[in-house]
Amino acid sequence: MGEPGKHRILMVSDFFYPNFGGVENHIYYLSQCLIKEGHKVVVMTHAYQNRSGVRYMTNGLKVYYVPWKPFLMQNTLPTFFGTLPITRTILIRENISLVHGHQAFSTLCHEALMHARTMGYKVVFTDHSLYGFADVGSIHMNKVLQFTLADVTQAICVSHTSKENTVLRSGLRPEKVYVIPNAVDTAMFKPAPERLNRDEIVIVVLSRLVYRKGADLLVEVIPEVCRLHPNVRFIVGGDGPKRVRLEEMREKHSLQDRVDMLGAVPHAKVRSVLITGHIFLNSSLTEAFCIAILEAASCGLLTVSTRVGGVPEVLPDDMVVLAAPDPTTMVHAITRAIHMLPRIDPQDMHNRMKKLYSWPDVARRTEIVYNRALKCSNPPLLDRLSRYLTCGTWAGKIFCIVMIVDFLLWRLLQLWQPDKDVEVVPDIQLQNSQHEETPFGSSTEESL
């Protein structure tokens, strides 16, 4: 059963390695720190191309790549009940005590949390994004989130702005939502050994080139900054549908020698790109918490960012210049940042980031949420159904039907294969590194 006071946690999300992003990094680093604290952590995600089955990562982190292929934007096809058998098997096999789902956009997360609550497990949900209230996609996502959080034990948001957004979207009581920010691996993101010459100012952009990340804003900002500051050069890393617009802008204004387009940058090479610049530019139109800003600040770059979402909460005022998501104000902010550069000490900035953000601190705070979640009582099915009825006149009734069907299917599975017939896997401490994998390598252990 494990050591007293230690948890056995199942992390669930559609977003995990080998895919790279903020959610993927968060799950990986949080899991590693929890393992070092003595907890057992298992990750459940969908299969990626030929990566299916069970893999071991650093420090024995076990990952179940369940044989579900992504349907849209790395999300699995919603099935409601299709994932119940495999979720139940993993929960029993690994002797899980708590389920932690990540990201509101993850189908696998929502389904796993639903099944876990049906089986009486405590569940925690972390929301990593901000959503609106008016467009069709946001209305649909908010209703799904309301369904999931109606019976969640505790919830975590990565910023105070994100907490306010989640509470408004889901109707969750604010006292059940905790704010735990992301962090950065300062050992990986260190400044350049020697300070860069300021004869040429290099501005770095590392982002997915999509509308939400402000790629259209870059198209207007870059030519104007190049016109005002002849000694400025841009490095743009990232790929996406808006890359064509940036290429066209570069051709139109003859900026081929001043705007370098790197394309997609592997996470392992992000630092090597960052340390070539003086300023990091973030043009996001919505952001719950921008990990890229932390990575840039840890490398000693002064940040210029749009004042949106939880971004104003991320860095102290002397480490970031904020501006409205408008081309004119962004250009003024970049000009102000260029004048601030002589006062910036990259090593001092890196040392401050070490004190401000660390994954061990995030893990300790998350552990407190786990402890509180496990102390909560488990209400009977009828009490839980009453919570779903508050989700809307018609939606509430539909949610109740879904939960009743899920409960009946779970009972049928118990009759067909009782819990005692599911083999519980022993806890194995891996000694040989050849059986482990890092985010950048793989090693198969067994197949599902």
Side-chain angles (χ1 to χ4, degrees), residues 101-106 109-110 113 125-133 137-152 155-157 162-172 177 388 391 399:
H102 293 263
Q103 187 62 315
F105 199 60
S106 171
C109 164
H110 289 293
L113 294 186
F125 172 77
T126 295
D127 199 356
H128 295 263
S129 301
L130 297 177
Y131 288 89
F133 300 89
S138 295
I139 292 171
H140 167 73
M141 183 53 61
N142 294 344
K143 186 58 70 175
V144 172
L145 188 67
Q146 190 178 19
F147 167 57
T148 300
L149 298 191
D151 197 27
V152 77
I156 298 172
C157 291
S162 176
K163 174 180 177 178
E164 181 181 354
N165 182 263
T166 299
V167 168
L168 289 172
R169 288 158 52 209
S170 66
L172 196 62
V177 186
Y388 292 105
C391 294
F399 294 162

Side-chain angles (χ1 to χ4, degrees), residues 195-241:
R195 297 190 66 166
L196 300 177
N197 192 303
R198 288 195 297 272
D199 292 339
E200 181 184 55
I201 306 299
V202 179
I203 299 177
V204 178
V205 179
L206 286 174
S207 169
R208 294 195 305 275
L209 302 181
V210 296
Y211 171 77
R212 190 175 71 86
K213 292 295 185 179
D216 295 304
L217 194 59
L218 291 176
V219 171
E220 299 185 55
V221 168
I222 291 176
E224 184 63 15
V225 172
C226 289
R227 184 185 67 83
L228 293 174
H229 305 280
N231 64 328
V232 167
R233 182 168 64 88
F234 282 85
I235 297 177
V236 181
D239 207 349

Side-chain angles (χ1 to χ4, degrees), residues 316-349:
D317 292 341
D318 61 329
M319 296 171 69
V320 62
V321 180
L322 299 173
D326 170 78
T328 303
T329 52
M330 287 295 289
V331 171
H332 290 326
I334 292 172
T335 300
R336 181 184 164 198
I338 292 173
H339 293 151
M340 289 172 60
L341 283 177
R343 304 195 299 271
I344 299 298
D345 182 352
Q347 190 58 50
D348 176 65
M349 190 177 289

Side-chain angles (χ1 to χ4, degrees), residues 29 184-196 267-277 292-301 345-354:
Y29 284 113
V184 61
D185 185 0
T186 52
M188 177 184 292
F189 292 93
K190 297 182 289 188
E194 297 181 3
R195 297 190 66 166
L196 300 177
H267 192 258
K269 297 183 179 179
V270 167
R271 176 191 174 264
S272 62
V273 175
L274 287 173
I275 61 175
T276 62
I293 290 178
L294 296 187
E295 294 172 346
S298 184
C299 288
L301 277 71
D345 182 352
Q347 190 58 50
D348 176 65
M349 190 177 289
H350 174 76
N351 294 336
R352 291 173 65 187
M353 291 300 297
K354 278 185 177 180

